[in-house]
Amino acid sequence: MIPAAFNYHRPDTIEGAVKLINEFGDEARVVAGGHSLIPMMKLRMTGLSHLVDLQGIGGLKGISVDGDTITIGAMTTQHELIVHKQLSSRAPIIAEAALQIADPQVRYVGTIGGNVANGDPGNDMPGLMQCLDAIYSLQGPSGQRSVPARTFYEAAYFTEREEDEILTSISFQATGGGYAYEKQKRKIGDYATAAAGVLIEKDGDKCSAASIALTNLADTPIYCEAAVAALVGTALDPGDVGAAVKAAVDASDPSEDNRGPIEFKKHIAGVVIRCAIERAIERA
Amino acid sequence: MNEMIPPKAERSAALKGLGTSRKRVEDARFTQGKGNFIDDLKLPGMLFGDFVRSPYPHAYVKSINTDAALAVPGVVAVLTAADLEPLGLHWMPTLAGDKQMVLADGKVLFQGQEVAFVVASDRYVAADAVELVEVDYEELPALVDPFKAEIKGAPILREDIADNLEGAHGARRHPNHIFTWESGEKEQTEAAIGEAEIVAEEMIYYHRTHPCPLETCGAVASMDKVNGKLTLHGTFQAPHAVRTVASLISGIAEHNIRVISPDIGGGFGNKVGVYPGYVCSIVASIVTGKPVKWIEDRIENLTSTAFARDYWMQGKISATKEGKITGLWCHTTADHGAFDACADPTKFPAGFMNICTGSYDIPTAYLCVDGIYTNKAPGGVAYRCSFRVTEAAYFIERMIEMLAIKLKMDAAELRRINFIKKEQFPYQSALGWEYDSGDYHTAWEKALEAVNYTELRKEQTQRLEDFKAGATRSLMGIGLCHFTEIVGAGPVKNCDILGLGMFDSCEIRIHPTGSAIARLGTISQGQGHATTFAQILASEIGIPADDITLEEGDTDTAPYGLGTYGSRSTPVAGAATAMAGRKIRAKAQMIAAYLLEVHDDDVEWDVDRFAVKGAPERFKTMKEIAFASYSQEIPGVEPGLEAVSYYDPPNMTYPFGAYICVMDINVDTGIADIRTFYALDDCGTRINPMIIEGQVHGGLTEAFAISMGQELAYDDMGNVKTGSLMDFFIPTSWETPNYITDFTTTPSPHHPIGAKGVGESPNVGGVPAFSNAVHDAFRSFGLTQSHMPHDHWRIWKIANDLGLHDK
Ligand SMILES: Cc1cc2nc3c(=O)[nH]c(=O)nc-3n(C[C@H](O)[C@H](O)[C@H](O)COP(=O)(O)OP(=O)(O)OC[C@H]3O[C@@H](n4cnc5c(N)ncnc54)[C@H](O)[C@@H]3O)c2cc1C
C-alpha cells in the first residue's frame, strides 16, 4: 500500500500541464481528486514517475449555464455537482447519479473529469454522460478538440483521449422531461452491480425523445440505441417498456466478478433498467 | 449522627459499580484521536520491516536473490529462511501443536505467504526493496477443496511432515490430513437416528471469513544489546503467552523479555496468534541492534494473518413425530489452510464445536471433526467467538430449522419442545459439557412476544399469497435463533494453550488516600475493560470506580494471564478481580474492627465501609481504612492494602440468547432489507448495561456482515478473491440494521458475581438469525439449505433455482 517514488508537479495553467505531460510522455499522469489513481499507485499497479496535479489550475473548476448549454469544468468535484442549485434544476439526473457514487468523503475530492477520463467501466459518470449525450473538451499540444461521450470509450481504461491531452470540460444540453439514474450495489462505496441512466420526454401521450445508457455492464459504458428506438414514438405501454428493457439487456455484456456471474448481472440489468425507465416515465 | 450518613442507595450510586451504565473511560482518548496504538510508537533509530510475499498458492522456492534489494540506499538487511535457520527460527510452533514457516523454507503453501523480510530505514524504502527481491518459483498444483485433499494424486502440501503419521492430536491417515477428533457416542447416536421416525440431513457450510479488525497486526521489537533485554510491543490479545512463547522459541530468558500490548484497535481473534511478522521483527532487531517495526497493510491482514470458520458440517438430526429430538450427528470437514494455527485450548483441536447440541435436551449425540490442510492461509481463530462456538451454534440452529421443515412444524414451537428446562440445570450435555444455568423458555417467550410472532407469521402468510398472486415480488423471512454459548475458558484441568493453564489474574493495590490501581492478565481491544473491571471492583471494595486505575498489557507489571479472547475476560479475569477485591475487603475488615475496637465478627460491610453491627453510626470508610493501613501499626496485620488473585474457574459459563430477525427479500434483485432485529441476551449479572448494548450492536453488525456478504473467497487456483475492503464486506452505518436489545438475567451460579460474558454472543447468535430469515423466506417454496454469505447474487440464485423468475 505504499506507492513507488514519483515527482510531483503543480502547474497553474492548462498549457503548463499539457507541456509537462507532453515532456514526460507515458511516465507522467495528471492527478485530479486522486481517488482512482492513488489507490492504483499504492497497489503499484500503475508505475509512473511524474504526477501532474491539476488542483492549481483555476480555469478547470466550476459549472456554467448558458441558455440550454451546461458546461462543467473537469476539476469540479462530485460534491459540487450535488449542491449546485441550477444544475439540479436543469439536469437533475446529475445529482441523482452523483449521490450514488461512493460516499461523501470521496465525493468531496473526486472530480467529474477524473471520473469520466479514468475509463474504468465501474465509474458512474461515463454512462451518465452518454445518457446526456455530453461532449468532452480535450486540450493537447496541438490545441483543443471535442469528442462525444458516446464515442469516447474504447475498452476498459482505453479512451479516445491521447496521453498528452487533458480533459478540460464537459458540456451538454439541459434536460426536460423525466429522468432516473438507478444503481444496484452491494454497499455504500461499491461500484455498480448494474446501473442505468434514463431520460424520457413526452409529447402528449407519446414518447418524443429518450436516452438510455448503462454502467458496469460491459468494459465500457453502453449507450443503448436499440432500446431508445423501442421507446421513441410509442405510448410507453408496458409492452414498449419491456421491448426497451430487452434491447438494453441484449446490448449489455457484463463479466463475472465478486458481485456475481453473468447470468445474474444480466438479470439485475433488466431489473435496474426497467426501474429507471418506469421512474423516468413517472417523472416525465 | 445517623442523618449524616448518606443513604445506602446514594453511596452505592456514587461508586458507579455493578449495573451502572458508566461512561467508558477509554473514550476520552479514543474519540480525540489520542489513543496509543502500535503504529503510533516511534522509537529512536527505528527501522521498518516489510515482507516479500508469495504470489502463488503452492510452489517450490528455487532461489532468492536479494542483491538488488540490498543495493537500495537505506536497506539494512533482507532476511530469508536461510538466515533464520541457524537460529532455529525459520519455523515456529503454532498454538495448535503444528509448526509454521516463518519464512518460506523451500516452498510456499499459500498466496501471500511470507518469503523474505526486508529491513530498511523507513517503510517507503522497504516497500521499494520488496519489489526488487527476485524469487524463482516453480509452481505446483494447488489444493483448494478440502474434499479433494485425500484423493489419489492430490498434491502433498506439507512435505516436512508427510511421513509423520502421528500428529499433535492423534493419528493422521494422509499427509494432507491433520487430525480426527471425536466426541460423544457414535454407535448409540447412529442407532437412535436409524430408528427414528423423522430424520433431517443436510450439509451446512460456515464459510471462511476474517476478523478484519480496524487496526491490522503489527509489532515493534527492540533488543537492548547492553542489558540483554528484549521489549516487544505489539498487537497481542495474549501478551503473557507471547512472552512465554517468545522465550521458548528464541532462547532468551523470560525475565529478559517484556511484552507490551498498547491500545489495540480490535482483535476479534485475529490478534491471538503468533505471526512471522513478530518473529522477523525480533530477529531483525537482534541482528541490527535497532528497534524494528512491522505493520501489516489491509491486504496482508486479510490474506495472511488468521482467518476464521471454514467448517463443512454434515449433519443428521432425528426426532419423534411429535418433534422430540432423539439424536444429533455431525461430521465436520475443517479447512485449516497450510498450517494448523488454530488458537484453541490444546485438548480441543476443534475448539468447543462439541457445544453443538445447543440449547436443546438431546439424549445422544456424536461429533467427528477432520482437520485438513489446503493451500490457504493458516488460522481458524475464534472470530468474536469462543473456539468454534459460532460454527456449532450455526450448525444446530440450521439443523433445527431443517427438522422443523421435515416435521412441518413451526420452528419456534420445535425449539420450545426441545429446550433444556430450567429445572434441568446444571445440565449434562450429551457431548460432555455441564451447562451451569439457564432459563430458555422464559427468554424465548419474551422474545416471541416482543416481536409479536403470531402476527408476523400471519403477515408472512398473507405476503406469500400476494406473491403468488403477482401482487408483490417481495417475500418475508422470519429468522429465529436460540443460542447457548460456552465461554470463559477455562478450568485449568482441561483448558490450556501450549501447556499454559487458562486461569487469569488480578492484582490490586489500594493507595494510602483510598484510590487504587488494578492490573489484570487480560488486554482490552475495545471491550472497555478499564471501565467495567473498575466497576466490579467498586462494588466489591467500596471505592468509586472513578478512583480506580485499570492497567493491562505490560508483562513487566501485570500479573500473568492468558489474555482476552473467547469471551473469557469477564468470566475469568473478572472473577479474579472480584476475588482479589474480596481479599482486600477481608483485610479491611480486620483493620476496621481494630480501629473500631471491636471483634472482627462484630463489623459488617455496608457499601463503602465497615460498620459495627447494630450501630451503623460507628463505621470506618474504605478511605479511612486504606489510610490506616499505611499510617499506623495494626497488631497482627501487615501494613499496606494489596491483594492478588489467580482465578481458576470451576466451570465455563453459558450465556444464552433469543434473537429474531425479520427481513423482506426482493426475489428479483436479491436484496434483503432487515426490518427488525430483536436481540435478547442473558449474560448473567450485568456489569455495565451500556457497554453490553454496545457489544451487542457491534457483534450483531459483524454477524450481519458475515451472514449477508462477508467472505474470504479463493478461486479454483487458490488465489484470494476478496483481499481488500472493496470486496470483503464491511457494512457501513448505511447498511447496518437497527437493533432492539433486551435481556433476562440468569446469574452464573459459580462465578463470584454471577457474570457470564457477552462480547461474542451477538456474533454467535446473530449469524443463524440472519441466515435463518433468508431460508425462512423461501421455506414454502421448498428451500432447505443454501450456503452463506447471503449476498445479492446468492439470494437471487435461490429464487432462480426455485423457479421464481420468469424465464
Ligand atoms: C471507496 C471508493 C468508492 C468509489 N465508488 C465509486 C462509485 O461508486 N462510482 C464512481 O463513479 N466512482 C467511484 N469511485 C471513484 C471516484 O469517483 C473517483 O474520484 C473518480 O473515479 C476519479 O476522479 P478523481 O478526480 O479522483 O480522479 P483521479 O484519481 O485523480 O484520476 C483518475 C484518472 O483520470 C485521469 N484524469 C483525471 N483528471 C483528468 C483530466 N482532467 N484530464 C485527463 N485525465 C484525467 C488521471 O490521470 C487518472 O488516470 C470510488 C472511489 C473510492 C475511493
Side-chain angles (χ1 to χ4, degrees):
Chain A
M1 299 283 190
I2 291 176
F6 55 86
N7 294 297
Y8 178 80
H9 309 269
R10 197 182 175 98
D12 48 19
T13 60
I14 298 176
E15 292 70 25
V18 169
K19 193 160 162 274
L20 282 165
I21 48 175
N22 196 31
E23 181 182 336
F24 298 117
D26 60 8
E27 290 199 346
R29 269 301 180 88
V30 299
V31 63
H35 272 47
S36 288
L37 184 58
I38 291 178
M40 290 297 184
M41 292 167 64
K42 288 190 168 184
L43 291 168
R44 297 195 177 219
M45 280 158 65
T46 297
L48 46 90
S49 25
H50 296 275
L51 211 50
V52 180
D53 194 340
L54 303 181
Q55 299 284 353
I57 306 172
L60 286 176
K61 252 188 183 293
I63 300 168
S64 68
V65 181
D66 181 6
D68 279 345
T69 304
I70 299 171
T71 304
I72 303 176
M75 290 299 287
T76 307
T77 65
Q78 291 147 17
H79 171 74
E80 285 159 347
L81 300 178
I82 294 167
V83 296
H84 196 276
K85 290 227 167 58
Q86 226 183 344
L87 184 64
S88 289
S89 71
R90 301 301 306 273
I93 193 171
I94 301 238
E96 179 160 306
L99 273 168
Q100 298 182 63
I101 291 177
D103 52 53
Q105 281 176 310
V106 172
R107 297 196 297 255
Y108 286 133
V109 180
T111 67
I112 187 169
N115 199 302
V116 301
N118 194 25
D120 182 339
N123 282 143
D124 288 285
M125 289 290 167
L128 182 68
M129 291 305 141
Q130 292 199 340
C131 184
L132 287 162
D133 198 12
I135 306 291
Y136 300 160
S137 293
L138 304 173
Q139 188 161 329
S142 47
Q144 184 99 19
R145 67 177 178 126
S146 297
V147 181
R150 288 182 187 171
T151 60
F152 185 73
Y153 299 95
E154 295 168 343
Y157 300 103
F158 285 93
T159 67
E160 256 295 295
R161 186 179 65 85
E162 298 296 336
E163 264 171 14
D164 54 5
E165 284 179 316
I166 288 174
L167 192 148
T168 53
S169 68
I170 296 165
S171 58
F172 52 87
Q173 299 301 297
T175 62
Y179 66 92
Y181 191 81
E182 186 72 29
K183 175 177 177 179
Q184 179 163 337
K185 56 186 172 186
R186 296 170 297 181
K187 61 171 275 192
I188 291 294
D190 190 20
Y191 294 92
T193 302
V198 174
L199 294 170
I200 287 190
E201 279 177 48
K202 284 203 321 200
D203 188 1
D205 286 343
K206 288 230 151 36
C207 173
S208 55
S211 182
I212 300 175
L214 311 180
T215 294
N216 221 11
L217 285 164
D219 69 347
T220 63
I222 304 166
Y223 174 67
C224 305
E225 237 179 309
V228 170
L231 291 181
V232 176
T234 72
L236 299 169
D237 290 335
D240 306 321
V241 173
V245 171
K246 186 176 179 309
V249 172
D250 286 347
S252 73
D253 183 18
S255 47
E256 174 165 353
D257 59 21
N258 286 322
R259 294 175 186 85
I262 292 168
E263 189 198 5
F264 163 72
K265 288 195 170 180
K266 285 225 167 204
H267 191 269
I268 298 304
V271 175
V272 163
I273 296 162
R274 175 180 300 278
C275 195
I277 294 177
E278 286 173 354
R279 204 141 47 89
I281 293 173
E282 258 170 51
R283 286 165 166 172
Chain B
M1 184 98 189
N2 221 345
E3 55 272 29
M4 291 185 65
I5 306 171
K8 259 188 205 298
E10 202 172 292
R11 285 183 285 129
S12 184
L15 296 178
K16 300 190 190 166
L18 292 184
T20 310
S21 282
R22 178 182 186 223
K23 288 220 169 110
R24 285 169 35 110
V25 296
E26 297 88 346
D27 288 346
R29 66 179 189 279
F30 290 153
T31 55
Q32 294 180 68
K34 298 270 168 60
N36 175 32
F37 298 92
I38 187 66
D39 207 12
D40 293 322
L41 183 68
K42 291 181 183 68
L43 299 180
M46 189 172 74
L47 302 174
F48 200 93
D50 197 354
F51 280 112
V52 176
R53 292 179 180 276
S54 170
Y56 300 110
H58 195 191
Y60 287 125
V61 176
K62 312 290 284 182
S63 66
I64 302 175
N65 184 339
T66 60
D67 294 350
L70 282 167
V72 175
V75 172
V76 178
V78 182
L79 302 177
T80 64
D83 302 307
L84 300 186
E85 192 170 356
L87 305 166
L89 289 175
H90 55 319
W91 289 75
M92 62 180 181
T94 71
L95 297 180
D98 194 0
K99 55 180 182 155
Q100 175 177 350
M101 286 181 222
V102 174
L103 290 171
D105 183 21
K107 79 188 287 197
V108 286
L109 289 160
F110 65 93
Q111 189 178 59
Q113 187 178 330
E114 300 79 2
V115 175
F117 191 67
V118 173
V119 186
S121 52
D122 67 52
R123 58 178 94 192
Y124 289 84
V125 173
D128 287 344
V130 160
E131 299 256 292
L132 298 174
V133 174
E134 292 163 27
V135 185
D136 186 13
Y137 295 99
E138 180 189 324
E139 243 190 297
L140 294 166
L143 173 62
V144 182
D145 179 352
F147 292 99
K148 295 192 178 140
E150 294 167 61
I151 62 174
K152 205 162 165 277
I156 304 301
L157 309 194
R158 293 290 300 279
E159 290 166 77
D160 59 303
I161 50 166
D163 301 328
N164 191 349
L165 291 178
E166 195 59 31
H169 307 290
R172 298 168 67 222
R173 57 170 185 252
H174 184 277
N176 294 334
H177 173 246
I178 311 171
F179 64 82
T180 297
W181 186 61
E182 288 178 282
S183 176
E185 301 293 332
K186 185 169 194 274
E187 274 159 37
Q188 198 180 313
T189 304
E190 287 175 355
I193 291 172
E195 292 160 8
E197 292 168 331
I198 306 285
V199 178
E201 181 168 4
E202 198 59 65
M203 169 66 94
I204 294 165
Y205 181 44
Y206 197 143
H207 58 291
R208 181 176 281 235
T209 183
H210 194 280
C212 193
L214 184 56
E215 177 206 34
T216 59
C217 298
V220 176
S222 179
M223 183 74 200
D224 184 331
K225 291 205 168 167
V226 177
N227 63 17
K229 282 214 173 231
L230 170 71
T231 306
L232 180 63
H233 309 257
T235 47
F236 309 126
Q237 288 182 238
H240 301 272
V242 167
R243 185 186 70 193
T244 303
V245 173
S247 172
L248 290 173
I249 68 178
S250 70
I252 302 171
E254 201 165 352
H255 71 282
N256 279 333
I257 303 178
R258 177 181 183 189
V259 176
I260 300 174
S261 293
D263 281 332
I264 296 183
F268 311 112
N270 180 240
K271 293 169 182 166
V272 172
V274 175
Y275 296 125
Y278 303 155
V279 177
C280 287
S281 42
I282 294 172
V283 174
S285 180
I286 293 171
V287 170
T288 62
K290 299 218 166 115
V292 176
K293 179 186 272 191
W294 164 74
I295 306 283
E296 282 180 316
D297 67 27
R298 180 60 59 193
I299 295 175
E300 293 177 298
N301 179 249
L302 285 171
T303 58
S304 70
T305 52
F307 78 93
R309 327 290 194 235
D310 216 346
Y311 261 29
W312 293 90
M313 302 171 285
Q314 181 73 38
K316 286 183 225 170
I317 189 166
S318 61
T320 63
K321 284 202 296 282
E322 293 72 36
K324 188 77 194 79
I325 299 171
T326 58
L328 179 73
W329 183 99
C330 176
H331 179 271
T332 296
T333 300
D335 185 338
H336 282 236
F339 308 96
D340 187 8
C342 290
D344 293 317
T346 308
K347 295 188 187 76
F348 299 89
F352 301 154
M353 180 61 196
N354 59 345
I355 191 75
C356 64
T357 52
S359 310
Y360 311 101
D361 184 13
I362 299 181
T364 181
Y366 170 70
L367 166 72
C368 175
V369 182
D370 276 312
I372 303 293
Y373 289 123
T374 60
N375 287 118
K376 298 177 197 163
V381 291
Y383 170 5
R384 207 176 187 138
C385 149
S386 184
F387 316 114
R388 307 290 187 179
V389 178
T390 42
E391 289 89 328
Y394 186 62
F395 171 73
I396 184 65
E397 288 302 295
R398 287 296 308 131
M399 289 310 292
I400 287 284
E401 295 281 316
M402 233 75 78
L403 184 60
I405 292 171
K406 279 270 169 174
L407 287 160
K408 301 191 172 57
M409 191 185 266
D410 179 85
E413 176 61 17
L414 178 58
R415 286 179 172 82
R416 196 182 273 132
I417 292 172
N418 288 289
F419 281 144
I420 301 161
K421 294 188 195 71
K422 191 178 172 185
E423 55 275 15
Q424 287 176 278
F425 291 96
Y427 172 83
Q428 210 66 43
S429 83
L431 293 178
W433 295 110
E434 184 180 301
Y435 291 29
D436 65 347
S437 58
D439 182 356
Y440 301 162
H441 284 97
T442 301
W444 196 237
E445 298 313 326
K446 190 173 181 186
L448 296 177
E449 201 167 306
V451 299
N452 208 344
Y453 182 67
T454 321
E455 281 308 310
L456 283 174
R457 284 291 177 204
K458 281 190 200 150
E459 187 190 341
Q460 187 185 38
T461 308
Q462 182 62 47
R463 176 76 66 84
L464 204 57
E465 278 171 27
D466 294 347
F467 182 86
K468 287 180 176 158
T472 178
R473 296 295 290 159
S474 161
L475 291 171
M476 187 177 151
I478 304 168
L480 304 175
C481 171
H482 190 288
F483 64 92
T484 294
E485 267 233 85
I486 172 169
V487 307
V492 172
K493 63 178 183 286
N494 59 357
C495 289
D496 71 271
I497 288 187
L498 291 179
L500 303 167
M502 295 180 75
F503 61 84
D504 226 289
S505 59
C506 175
E507 180 198 282
I508 305 168
R509 294 183 191 174
I510 312 291
H511 306 313
T513 53
S515 62
I517 182 164
R519 294 191 173 101
L520 283 77
T522 44
I523 175 72
S524 183
Q525 306 124 40
Q527 293 90 336
H529 290 177
T531 307
T532 49
F533 289 141
Q535 290 182 255
I536 295 178
L537 214 45
S539 289
E540 291 291 341
I541 62 174
I543 289 176
D546 290 346
D547 294 347
I548 302 169
T549 294
L550 206 118
E551 249 184 42
E552 300 172 304
D554 183 340
T555 57
D556 266 10
T557 56
Y560 204 98
L562 267 266
T564 295
Y565 43 86
S567 214
R568 64 185 300 282
S569 298
T570 294
V572 191
T577 305
M579 298 308 270
R582 286 172 195 182
K583 289 184 186 176
I584 298 268
R585 209 160 93 182
K587 183 169 176 183
Q589 180 165 5
M590 292 191 267
I591 299 172
Y594 173 79
L595 297 174
L596 291 162
E597 297 178 17
V598 293
H599 188 269
D600 288 359
D601 293 341
D602 291 334
V603 293
E604 63 186 355
W605 179 248
D606 175 22
V607 181
D608 54 357
R609 65 196 62 201
F610 279 101
V612 176
K613 283 181 186 164
E617 72 286 356
R618 289 184 60 205
F619 61 80
K620 288 289 166 191
T621 63
M622 274 306 283
K623 226 177 151 77
E624 291 168 321
I625 295 164
F627 198 74
S629 76
Y630 285 91
S631 60
Q632 69 187 83
E633 186 198 350
I634 298 164
V637 179
E638 284 181 7
L641 197 49
E642 299 190 3
V644 55
S645 167
Y646 282 77
Y647 187 79
D648 178 9
N651 191 2
M652 315 286 289
T653 62
Y654 296 78
F656 60 94
Y659 289 1
I660 299 175
C661 171
V662 186
M663 60 172 73
D664 299 298
I665 293 179
N666 182 313
V667 299
D668 293 324
T669 59
I671 296 176
D673 276 328
I674 317 297
R675 189 205 302 182
T676 306
F677 199 104
Y678 169 89
L680 178 151
D681 275 286
D682 192 320
C683 58
T685 301
R686 291 159 57 83
I687 299 165
N688 181 325
M690 184 194 69
I691 285 198
I692 293 174
E693 195 178 0
Q695 289 287 313
V696 173
H697 280 215
L700 286 177
T701 304
E702 286 178 336
F704 166 70
I706 295 167
S707 48
M708 304 307 287
Q710 183 177 92
E711 65 176 322
L712 202 54
Y714 285 79
D715 70 12
D716 295 344
M717 313 285 290
N719 301 301
V720 183
K721 286 167 48 176
T722 53
S724 87
L725 298 189
M726 216 57 225
D727 285 305
F728 185 85
F729 178 50
I730 299 282
T732 69
S733 59
W734 194 265
E735 289 81 36
T736 302
N738 281 316
Y739 306 118
I740 304 163
T741 57
D742 204 348
F743 64 97
T744 55
T745 305
T746 312
S748 167
H750 62 78
H751 186 279
I753 62 163
K756 293 181 174 175
V758 76
E760 302 162 357
S761 295
N763 193 320
V764 172
V767 170
F770 285 111
S771 181
N772 283 346
V774 173
H775 286 92
D776 182 67
F778 295 99
R779 174 173 166 172
S780 60
F781 296 97
L783 177 69
T784 49
Q785 172 66 17
S786 177
H787 299 318
M788 296 189 289
H790 306 297
D791 57 3
H792 297 173
W793 97 260
R794 288 184 179 90
I795 291 182
W796 176 88
K797 190 170 184 309
I798 295 173
N800 200 259
D801 289 348
L802 294 172
L804 302 182
H805 298 140
D806 336 311
K807 293 285 167 188

